[in-house]
Amino acid sequence: MTEVVERKATNIHWHDGDVTRGDRAAMLGHKGVTLWFTGLSGSGKSTVAVAVEKALAARGVLSYRLDGDNIRHGINSNLGFSAEDRQENIRRVGEISRLFADTGVVVLSSFISPYFEDRALVRKMHEDNDLLFMEVFIDCSLEAAESRDPKGLYKKARAGEIRGFTGIDDPYEAPLQPELHLRTDQMTLEDEVEAVIKSLQERGIII
Ligand SMILES: Nc1ncnc2c1ncn2[C@@H]1O[C@H](COP(=O)(O)OS(=O)(=O)O)[C@@H](OP(=O)(O)O)[C@H]1O
Ligand SMILES: Nc1ncnc2c1ncn2[C@@H]1O[C@H](COP(=O)(O)OP(=O)(O)O)[C@@H](O)[C@H]1O
């Protein structure tokens, strides 16, 4: 296993099992992969992930969603939205995604993940361990995301009640070469789901 950050612990040893990733894929009938949904707040990451999860379940494919808002209630409840905290948030959920993908699950990870470097680290965690990783850019203009404002957060950010809000007074570095690019302000949800499923089929991840 490749390490992506400095490890503090010493005298620890990797312990292999007898059941392989291939064995697990054969049991499930599909491969594991992480689909990494990145985009502005309100761009549609959670909406697309929920719809893809449903479509996969209908095909008998085991998937699991990891969502920023949810994860920040639990394992990452000690992190805020500074660049350092977002980096640690993404590192931890990247590791969790990697573990789930190794089990054979189709992982649907939805995080704003605004920085190139943090997303590149998650890709590396997967690729260094021969795990499939697909960056899915959930692309939506700031104007459209702000007019949706499903949680009223843009309104609060504009009013100065939230500081460091992505897209308003905090950066979002758009992916340059995502495996999939979905313009949610120009496509229907049905077409977005179809594009994801097709892409998984084309890569031989699901039948
Ligand atoms: N300052 C600030 N900036 C951006 N988002 C904020 C902020 N404060 C709270 N929220 C809420 O937190 C959700 C984003 O969490 P993430 O873990 O995805 O963020 S990040 O990847 O670490 O940047 C985000 O969820 P989504 O709207 O689903 O993206 C918001 O509900
Ligand atoms: N084509 C589309 N794809 C995804 N979401 C859409 C689309 N059109 C409108 N929406 C709406 O945009 C909002 C996106 O919110 P959400 O999924 O919570 O975004 P995020 O998880 O990125 O913050 C939802 O209210 C959803 O119904």
Side-chain angles (χ1 to χ4, degrees), residues 122-159:
V122 177
R123 180 185 289 279
K124 185 171 160 53
M125 283 174 192
H126 285 75
E127 294 182 348
D128 283 358
N129 291 286
D130 293 323
L131 282 164
L132 296 161
F133 179 83
M134 289 168 61
E135 188 173 47
V136 184
F137 183 17
I138 303 295
D139 190 6
C140 177
S141 69
L142 176 64
E143 293 67 35
E146 193 168 354
S147 72
R148 291 175 181 170
D149 206 5
K151 291 174 257 179
L153 298 178
Y154 282 100
K155 194 160 173 250
K156 282 190 181 167
R158 290 289 186 197

Side-chain angles (χ1 to χ4, degrees), residues 73-123:
H73 279 91
I75 189 170
N76 286 351
S77 59
N78 64 331
L79 299 175
F81 292 92
S82 65
E84 293 72 27
D85 279 9
R86 289 184 201 251
Q87 180 182 47
E88 178 59 11
N89 180 40
I90 298 311
R91 187 191 71 79
R92 289 185 200 168
V93 293
E95 289 286 1
I96 296 168
S97 302
R98 182 178 72 78
L99 292 173
F100 269 99
D102 189 36
T103 69
V105 167
V106 174
V107 189
L108 307 170
S109 295
S110 309
F111 297 89
I112 296 179
S113 43
Y115 297 109
F116 286 123
E117 202 185 324
D118 298 347
R119 297 192 304 264
L121 180 81
V122 177
R123 180 185 289 279

Side-chain angles (χ1 to χ4, degrees), residues 39-48 67 148 150-151 184-185 187-189 192:
L40 293 172
S41 177
S43 60
K45 301 180 297 297
S46 305
T47 303
V48 176
D67 193 292
R148 291 175 181 170
K151 291 174 257 179
T184 67
D185 50 4
M187 297 169 73
T188 64
L189 181 59
E192 290 153 20

